[in-house]
């Protein structure tokens, strides 16, 4: 009996996760486009894209702040040496 390599197993898990994310996004877009959104929210696929875009902007901003902090610490430590 052959064993499954670790690379293949990790690849299969990544593909399954990506497929689940796609299914969730499509289901959310369909739900938003068919119902009445709460007050102040955007309906349809654009509303879903807007929510995802806002989340990604927050993540990127947080990552940039961490990179700036780490660069400052490296600069401070290299000046102390």
């Amino acid at each position: 009996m052959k064993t499954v390599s670790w690379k293949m197993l990790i690849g299969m898990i990544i593909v399954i996760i990506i497929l689940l994310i796609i299914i969730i996004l499509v289901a959310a877009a369909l739900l938003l486009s068919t119902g009445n959104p709460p007050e102040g929210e955007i309906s349809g696929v654009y509303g879903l894209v807007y929510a995802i875009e806002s989340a990604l902007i927050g993540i990127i901003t947080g990552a940039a702040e961490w990179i700036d902090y780490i660069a400052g610490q490296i600069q401070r430590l290299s000046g102390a040496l």
Side-chain angles (χ1 to χ4, degrees):
M1 185 171 149
K2 289 187 172 182
T3 60
V4 178
S5 69
W6 285 105
K7 290 180 183 179
M8 183 176 239
L9 183 63
I10 291 171
M12 289 188 319
I13 291 172
I14 290 173
V15 168
I16 290 171
I17 290 172
I18 290 172
L19 286 174
L20 287 174
I21 290 172
I22 291 171
I23 290 169
I24 290 170
L25 290 176
V26 170
L30 289 173
L31 282 174
L32 285 174
S33 65
T34 58
N36 294 326
E39 188 67 33
E41 291 190 17
I42 305 169
S43 65
V45 177
Y46 179 72
L48 180 66
V49 170
Y50 182 75
I52 293 171
E53 181 183 13
S54 298
L56 289 177
I57 288 172
I59 291 170
I60 291 170
T61 303
E65 290 175 0
W66 270 102
I67 290 171
D68 187 41
Y69 172 76
I70 292 170
Q73 292 299 318
I74 291 172
Q75 183 181 12
R76 183 181 65 82
L77 289 174
S78 64
L81 296 176

